[in-house]
Amino acid sequence: MRLFGISDKEKLWNVNIENVTVLNNLRCVQLLSSKLRDKTTDAKEFMLNADRLMTVLAEEALSMVPGVKQQDIETPTGIFKGLEDTLGEKLCVVSIVRSGDI
């Protein structure tokens, strides 16, 4: 397999592509991907896990939007280092997949 002009699989994962984020290091992505690929997974479980994976990916994508900045949030128990949408616009994530939807 050649991807991005690289045939060695080990070197492929070490490529620094500025506009690509690999989420394979998230354990939830690994677990859900494994369940999707398992040949013993039935259709109902496949759709459930596909929906869960698309939700995780959508949430990760939204957290990377340029208008999302780190913000101190005051909570009843103290300050929380959270995120705030500074764009002031409504965002929407749409998945287009035949196996399920978010």
Side-chain angles (χ1 to χ4, degrees), residues 11 26 62 64 69 76 79 86 96:
K11 290 181 182 176
L26 296 175
L62 287 173
M64 295 177 189
K69 305 289 183 202
I79 299 296
T86 60
I96 303 173

Side-chain angles (χ1 to χ4, degrees), residues 41-89:
T41 300
D42 62 28
K44 184 177 179 180
E45 186 180 0
F46 183 90
M47 287 188 298
L48 173 71
N49 289 308
D51 287 347
R52 291 176 63 198
L53 180 58
M54 285 181 277
T55 300
V56 169
L57 296 176
E59 290 171 354
E60 284 296 316
L62 287 173
S63 73
M64 295 177 189
V65 171
V68 175
K69 305 289 183 202
Q70 187 169 351
Q71 176 74 26
D72 288 342
I73 308 293
E74 189 174 341
T75 73
T77 59
I79 299 296
F80 171 73
K81 298 277 187 196
L83 298 175
E84 179 183 33
D85 174 18
T86 60
L87 290 177
E89 297 179 20

Side-chain angles (χ1 to χ4, degrees), residues 10 18-19 71 77:
E10 290 298 317
E18 192 174 306
N19 62 348
Q71 176 74 26
T77 59

Side-chain angles (χ1 to χ4, degrees), residues 14-29:
N14 294 322
V15 172
N16 184 11
I17 302 171
E18 192 174 306
N19 62 348
V20 174
T21 301
V22 177
L23 298 176
N24 199 34
N25 60 340
L26 296 175
R27 289 181 59 84
C28 60
V29 171

